Amino acid sequence: MNITRERVDSLLKGYRKERPTLTVLLEQELSKEMPSRSTAETLDKELSLYSALVESVMKLNSHDRPVVLFHYFSEEHISISDTAAHFDIDPSTVCRILARAKKSLALIMNRNEGT
């Protein structure tokens, strides 16, 4: 599967809410007397993408990683302007960092998928 920047964007935006929901759904499916193999595999595959995303974020350069972690991995939604204020940088710089990070994450995830 080729991970696109759009898919990375979707994973980053969904990390806070979708990932916990998928975990619960997978646990519910596996606790059934006769779990659906295809449903469990689909949920597990999606969860593995989130794991790969986290591993890939940790491989970002030291300039981009803190901004990505703060913006997407905080417990609550953080706006671009709040991220900019936190790092004392311009909002347009935050946007450039996030765009560059998404491109890098897609490359990292695709490279790691082949190994």
Side-chain angles (χ1 to χ4, degrees):
M1 168 192 259
N2 186 28
I3 308 294
T4 63
R5 279 186 243 174
E6 292 78 17
R7 185 66 176 124
V8 168
D9 184 55
S10 173
L11 290 168
L12 286 167
K13 290 177 180 174
Y15 186 84
R16 193 177 299 108
K17 292 190 179 183
E18 282 183 34
R19 187 187 52 83
T21 302
L22 290 171
T23 302
V24 169
L25 290 174
L26 181 60
E27 289 171 357
Q28 289 174 348
E29 187 62 38
L30 294 176
S31 69
K32 291 180 179 177
E33 191 171 313
M34 296 198 45
S36 165
R37 181 178 177 173
S38 64
T39 301
E41 286 175 352
T42 301
L43 291 169
D44 187 55
K45 183 178 178 183
E46 194 70 16
L47 283 168
S48 70
L49 283 175
Y50 283 108
S51 294
L53 174 70
V54 172
E55 290 173 20
S56 298
V57 166
M58 299 315 287
K59 293 177 182 179
L60 288 174
N61 69 48
S62 61
H63 182 259
D64 295 353
R65 184 176 47 239
V67 176
V68 171
L69 287 171
F70 183 81
H71 186 72
Y72 289 110
F73 292 83
S74 297
E75 285 186 29
E76 294 185 18
H77 173 75
I78 307 290
S79 69
I80 296 286
S81 57
D82 289 342
T83 302
H86 179 80
F87 289 99
D88 195 28
I89 56 178
D90 191 79
S92 64
T93 302
V94 171
C95 291
R96 280 194 305 276
I97 290 169
L98 296 178
R100 182 176 59 231
K102 289 173 190 176
K103 182 178 179 181
S104 296
L105 288 168
L107 291 170
I108 293 167
M109 290 176 77
N110 285 319
R111 186 172 37 232
N112 288 343
E113 188 178 67
T115 58

